[in-house]
Amino acid sequence: MFSSTSPETGRDPWAGDARPGPADPSRGYPPGPRTGPAADDGGDRRDRRGPRRLRKGGPGWRPDDEPADDAPVEEVPAVPVRRPLALTVAGFAALLGVGLVLGAQTAGPGHRLPFAFIIFGVQLLFVLAWTMAMRPPALLLVALVSAGVAAAADAAAVRSDIAGLAPLGYVAVGGFVLGVLGQLVRRVDRVRVTDSLGSTLLIVVGVVAFGTLIVLSRIPAGTQAITICLGATAVALTVARLTDAVAPWPRLAPQVPRGAAGVVAGAMIGTLTSAVLGSYLVGFTPTSAALIGLVTAATAVLADLAVGYAEAGRLMAGEPPTMWIARHMQGPLGGFALAAPAAYAMCVLFL
């Protein structure tokens, strides 16, 4: 008979031997976690030199993998300020202001035609400068339509029974629609009609804006208001350009040859000029004249500055430069065009 107890009873079966593990890794208990450093294929583990970063849309990455961002930034060279050109534009702004102010003095009850002819000549200059500078797709068509709009606006301002802006508004809308339809008829310009909407609207509204001076001369104290507002505008534009010729600092943008000192000095001296004129003209005080002069002078100077930014943007976009005389007449003409309705609004609202 065999004994029911094995002779190995009481002996530790694993004594002196390693505990057997499961032959199949899928059976039994999982192995314990590793506490030592893990070795790569080459036996060395890459040391971390900093915390891991999270990359947007991807796994983390270390600062060692980060590309160098300390590359030098390319500086845009500043456009030089040409003093003879700035002096020439300042002289043109002064002559334009003197012509408009003296033309307003010729206007009287029943004698609006001389002033209307002067305004029409300025409008033709505006059409020439702005069409050559902006170059809409149908340049000749836009120029002809704008000239027709200028003549119609002046006739409406002179012959209307009541001095108001409603007839001028109708003329502006009709001219804009006619210009757009004329470009739609041309197959070549039909593709770029959306590009020409802004330029056509600016030119049409600009020529109509000069017609508000004729309407302003027909209301009480309108001629005095024209003298104050256009005098302040002329002085502001002239001083701004003269300051740019002497001290164009600080530069507002490297691509624009204008300085902040000229813009501020022009607006301030233009306001002072309007206050001095208001102390001599009937129906005005230095305070009221300075108020309307400040609005028109600041508006004109900012419009002149905006034209410079627009020209710099066209050059940076790769467009060829326009006619020399046209693009430099554009700023003062745009300043007077924007100052005219501002003068009308200030005269109607505050006088």
Side-chain angles (χ1 to χ4, degrees), residues 50-76:
R52 296 176 67 91
R53 292 186 181 180
L54 292 179
R55 185 167 51 192
K56 185 176 180 181
W61 56 292
R62 299 183 182 91
D64 296 337
D65 302 331
E66 185 177 358
D69 293 336
D70 54 353
V73 180
E74 183 179 358
E75 295 183 359
V76 179

Side-chain angles (χ1 to χ4, degrees), residues 172-247:
V173 173
F176 175 70
V177 173
L178 183 61
V180 173
L181 291 178
Q183 295 177 74
L184 287 175
V185 172
R186 295 166 55 94
R187 181 177 302 177
V188 178
D189 302 323
R190 195 180 304 166
V191 179
R192 299 182 56 195
V193 66
T194 55
D195 300 335
S196 66
L197 290 179
S199 58
T200 305
L201 181 62
L202 283 176
I203 298 172
V204 170
V205 171
V207 296
V208 173
F210 280 105
T212 59
L213 295 175
I214 304 176
V215 179
L216 184 58
S217 66
R218 296 180 56 184
I219 65 177
T223 303
Q224 291 85 347
I226 292 175
T227 303
I228 293 174
C229 294
L230 296 189
T233 299
V235 170
L237 292 175
T238 304
V239 170
R241 293 289 184 165
L242 290 177
T243 307
D244 289 337
V246 177

